[in-house]
């Protein structure tokens, strides 16, 4: 497309989608039908006013994609005029995300997961059957188009698929279009997928969130104790089961007291880096510049990770209460949940919970009558693994391409909108509730000295009972697998997902702590535990990991942009036996992997070689 304003005209549906989000255009210069005599061109707010609107770019792209199914030249031109964004920049953002399309496609898009957990459960045969019946991925058929997808976060029900149908939201003026709809098909069979593609309304019902928690109802659960026993849509039910007692204690302690409790509890981040949460909050609170912001990283896109999805679907008010406490502690009055776009049910439940909390005075200008103002906004991602990196989230929310920033400055100093910002993932934030409910000492009594509390583990692959498990830090891998039902012929366990490492069947006594896994030469990461038996072709698994990192690299830095491609090429030569020999390609991958680890800007490039390296060194996969 032409990267200048083209005068392309949006359709009525596209214009309505944007105007519903942004309001009617204030003048002819900003997308109105006509320019009146009063529409003289003068600056009313200068560059700062333009920047203030730029953060609506991603929501506007979502609005059009949700309504029509793709983003036309006319729609993009109209969005740019409304937001005063250069078309070239908006085009760069729209094409950055996998869930958007700037080419025409049907309103129904079927995303079929081909990532690690689903591949281990037969997604290849599902895709082969769809190719035979409907044609290759991207071929319109049955009024829909299907495409292969990275992990959808539905690993406990692998193989999985997600159908999204564009259309007006329910409650909007009547339209000839069918209303917007999402349908999960998991476990997916070709017959179910075809039937759902034809009639999404008749798709199989999605099970409750508790179906992903094999321990549901266990009285020893802490973070998962309400999942399955409390109605996720009922604020009254949540409060009757201990909800908002932690926030009341937070107000009695004061911001400094809350931070001291979190420090004394020893809470560290659950996203993989294990940075002390209290230190992050303290550093943010001490920054003189304002306003401060809180960002919840709910873009869990690591293959094999789905714990945050289960928490948001099964206990959404817990996240809202925890974010309110965190905002109070760091002096923030605005929070953002950056939610991955492949989680439509979590989006709906969180949206309902936010509305209920505002109505009842638990969010807004005077939370619980304490004189503290705080509110939360959901910002949806659109299919970019890199946006799980904390600074890439800032760029995405601000309407830029979701590329990581160089550090320093660190987010606590200069984060979202250039202001002090604390970023935590869902599991980390929800841990704050038991800390304040029970006290720091009681919380720290569970686990080990440096890994306190309980941890959520996402168990998938060849196990009898896949799902999210909660265990105290210090339990070992063998104990976890016994709960999940291990296969008879265990080949390997992948810890930490695509960015993690493998362990052998004789290493199952590794303690599940951050320090224990490091000592064993692997990583706990975000809690992925993917179990593979001897029916799985490990070389193909490693190739899929390499393809994943090649696809998800943002391309900003050379070591990652080039290194992920070279790694995939080498693995293709080994798997397809087209090269001179595996030894030469392994040596090449070691050199490339070290360069990525040393010189990449962010964790994607720094960890892209981890799983392949561990498979070569620990499993002897190519011998």
């Amino acid at each position: 497309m032409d990267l200048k304003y083209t005068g392309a005209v949006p359709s009525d549906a596209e214009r309505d989608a944007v105007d519903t989000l942004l309001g009617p255009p204030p003048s002819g210069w900003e997308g109105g039908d006509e320019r009146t005599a009063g529409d003289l061109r003068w600056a009313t707010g200068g560059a700062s006013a333009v920047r203030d609107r730029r953060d609506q770019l991603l929501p506007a792209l979502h609005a059009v994609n949700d309504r029509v199914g793709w983003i036309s030249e006319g729609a993009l031109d109209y969005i740019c005029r409304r937001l005063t964004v250069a078309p070239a920049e908006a085009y760069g953002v729209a094409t950055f995300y996998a869930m958007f399309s700037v080419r025409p496609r049907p309103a129904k898009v079927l995303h079929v997961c081909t990532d690690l957990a689903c591949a281990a459960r037969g997604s290849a045969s599902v895709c082969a059957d769809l190719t035979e019946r409907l044609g290759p991925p991207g071929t319109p058929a049955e009024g829909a188009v299907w495409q292969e997808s990275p992990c959808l976060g539905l690993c406990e029900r692998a193989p999985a698929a997600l159908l999204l149908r564009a259309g007006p939201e329910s409650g909007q003026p009547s339209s000839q279009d069918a209303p917007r709809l999402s349908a999960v098909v998991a476990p997916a069979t070709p017959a179910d997928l075809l039937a759902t593609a034809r009639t999404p309304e008749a798709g199989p019902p999605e099970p409750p969130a508790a179906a992903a928690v094999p321990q549901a109802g266990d009285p020893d659960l802490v973070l998962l104790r309400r999942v399955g026993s409390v109605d996720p849509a009922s604020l009254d039910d949540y409060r009757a089961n201990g909800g908002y007692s932690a926030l009341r204690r937070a107000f009695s302690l004061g911001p400094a007291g809350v931070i001291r409790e979190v420090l004394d509890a020893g809470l560290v981040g659950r996203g993989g880096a294990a940075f002390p949460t209290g230190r992050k909050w303290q550093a943010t609170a001490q920054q003189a510049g304002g306003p401060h912001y809180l960002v919840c990283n709910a873009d869990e896109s690591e293959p094999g990770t789905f714990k945050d999805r289960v928490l948001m679907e099964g206990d959404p008010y817990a996240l809202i209460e925890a974010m309110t406490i965190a905002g109070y502690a760091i002096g923030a009055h605005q929070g953002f949940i950056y939610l991955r776009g492949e989680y439509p049910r979590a989006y709906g439940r969180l949206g309902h919970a936010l509305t209920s909390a505002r109505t009842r005075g638990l969010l807004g200008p005077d939370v619980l009558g304490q004189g503290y103002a705080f509110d939360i906004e959901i910002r949806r991602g659109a299919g970019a693994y890199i946006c799980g990196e904390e600074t890439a989230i800032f760029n995405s929310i601000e309407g830029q391409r979701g590329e990581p920033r160089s550090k320093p400055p660190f987010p606590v100093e200069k984060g979202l909108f250039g202001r002090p910002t604390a970023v935590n993932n869902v599991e980390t934030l929800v841990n704050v509730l038991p800390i304040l409910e029970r006290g720091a000492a009681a919380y720290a009594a569970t686990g080990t000295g440096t890994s306190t509390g309980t941890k959520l583990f996402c168990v998938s692959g060849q196990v009898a009972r896949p799902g999210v498990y909660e265990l105290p830090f210090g339990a070992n891998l063998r104990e976890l697998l016994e709960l999940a039902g291990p296969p008879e012929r265990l080949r390997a366990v992948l810890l930490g997902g695509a960015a993690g490492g493998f362990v052998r069947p004789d290493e199952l006594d590794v303690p599940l702590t951050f320090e224990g896994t490091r000592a064993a030469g692997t990583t706990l990461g975000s809690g992925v535990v993917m179990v593979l038996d001897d029916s799985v072709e490990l070389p193909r698994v490693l190739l899929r990991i390499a393809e994943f990192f090649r696809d998800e690299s943002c391309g900003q830095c050379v070591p990652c942009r080039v290194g992920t491609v070279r790694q995939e090429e080498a693995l293709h030569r080994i798997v397809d036996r087209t090269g001179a020999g595996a030894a030469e390609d392994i040596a090449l991958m070691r050199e490339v992997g070290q360069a990525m680890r040393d010189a990449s800007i962010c964790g994607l490039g720094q960890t892209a070689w981890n799983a392949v390296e561990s498979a070569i060194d620990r499993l002897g996969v190519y011998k």
Side-chain angles (χ1 to χ4, degrees), residues 399-425:
Q400 312 289 339
R401 288 167 63 88
E403 296 173 342
R405 302 174 182 176
S406 297
K407 292 180 282 191
F410 294 97
V412 297
E413 303 163 321
K414 190 176 180 181
L416 183 63
F417 304 121
R419 303 298 184 179
T421 305
V423 185
N424 298 109
N425 74 353

Side-chain angles (χ1 to χ4, degrees), residues 370-389:
Q370 298 292 316
Y372 169 61
F374 185 72
D375 210 339
I376 299 170
E377 183 178 344
I378 302 174
R379 290 294 178 92
R380 283 189 293 160
Y385 170 78
I386 191 63
C387 286
E389 199 275 340

Side-chain angles (χ1 to χ4, degrees), residues 438-510:
R438 303 177 181 188
Y443 179 91
T446 301
T448 66
T450 53
S451 295
T452 60
T454 61
K455 178 76 183 77
L456 300 183
F457 297 96
C458 308
V459 183
S460 61
Q462 272 93 16
V463 293
R465 294 174 293 280
V468 179
Y469 289 83
E470 182 177 0
L471 292 177
F473 275 114
N476 62 39
L477 180 57
R478 188 184 306 277
E479 293 170 334
L480 176 59
L481 294 188
E482 287 174 355
L483 289 174
E488 293 182 3
R489 300 183 303 277
L490 179 63
R491 175 69 174 91
V493 178
L494 177 61
L495 292 181
F502 289 93
V503 298
R504 301 187 303 268
D506 61 345
E507 298 177 307
L508 299 184
D509 292 322
V510 57

Side-chain angles (χ1 to χ4, degrees), residues 188-429:
T189 65
D192 286 342
L193 291 177
L194 289 172
T196 303
R198 294 188 190 104
T199 313
E201 294 87 351
E206 191 167 358
V213 183
Q215 297 168 296
D218 187 333
D220 294 330
L221 296 179
V222 179
L223 306 179
L224 298 174
R225 69 186 187 275
R226 281 185 287 258
V227 178
S229 62
V230 171
D231 180 359
S234 172
L235 178 54
D236 289 332
D237 207 4
Y238 176 73
R239 297 185 75 169
N241 284 270
Y244 282 96
S245 61
L247 179 59
R248 292 186 182 279
R249 181 158 189 258
F251 284 134
S252 69
L253 290 171
V258 172
I259 292 174
R260 174 52 54 191
E261 284 286 290
V262 175
L263 283 168
D264 291 346
L267 176 63
V268 299
R270 301 301 201 243
F275 189 84
T277 302
R279 283 176 53 192
K280 181 184 291 188
W281 289 10
Q282 188 174 58
T284 308
Q286 290 173 347
Q287 297 298 314
H292 295 183
Y293 290 105
L294 173 71
V295 174
C296 171
N297 182 352
D299 191 60
E300 57 168 3
S301 303
E302 184 69 44
T305 309
F306 51 96
K307 57 186 174 60
D308 288 352
R309 188 204 92 224
V310 172
L311 285 171
M312 291 184 289
E313 292 180 351
D315 199 8
Y317 290 103
L319 176 59
I320 294 171
E321 180 184 5
M323 287 186 67
T324 309
I325 293 169
Y328 176 67
I330 67 172
H333 298 287
Q334 180 65 51
F336 291 89
I337 300 174
Y338 189 86
L339 177 68
R340 70 174 302 193
E342 296 91 340
Y343 283 177
R345 183 160 74 165
Y347 178 62
R349 291 198 170 165
L350 284 170
H352 171 80
L354 288 172
T355 300
S356 298
R358 291 188 193 103
T359 302
R360 303 281 285 275
L362 299 169
L363 287 174
D366 187 14
V367 176
L368 279 178
Q370 298 292 316
Y372 169 61
F374 185 72
D375 210 339
I376 299 170
E377 183 178 344
I378 302 174
R379 290 294 178 92
R380 283 189 293 160
Y385 170 78
I386 191 63
C387 286
E389 199 275 340
E390 60 183 2
T391 61
I393 289 179
F394 302 154
N395 279 339
S396 184
I397 291 175
E398 291 174 17
Q400 312 289 339
R401 288 167 63 88
E403 296 173 342
R405 302 174 182 176
S406 297
K407 292 180 282 191
F410 294 97
V412 297
E413 303 163 321
K414 190 176 180 181
L416 183 63
F417 304 121
R419 303 298 184 179
T421 305
V423 185
N424 298 109
N425 74 353
V426 175
E427 184 187 356
T428 305
L429 287 163

Side-chain angles (χ1 to χ4, degrees), residues 531-546:
V531 182
L532 306 175
D533 65 15
D534 59 7
S535 69
V536 174
E537 298 180 41
L538 278 176
R540 294 288 176 185
V541 171
L542 300 183
L543 181 56
R544 180 66 188 93
I545 291 174

Side-chain angles (χ1 to χ4, degrees), residues 1-24:
M1 65 170 291
D2 195 326
L3 299 186
K4 303 183 292 295
Y5 287 121
T6 63
V9 179
S11 69
D12 291 342
E14 291 167 337
R15 183 185 294 270
D16 180 65
V18 176
D19 290 348
T20 298
L21 174 73
L22 302 177

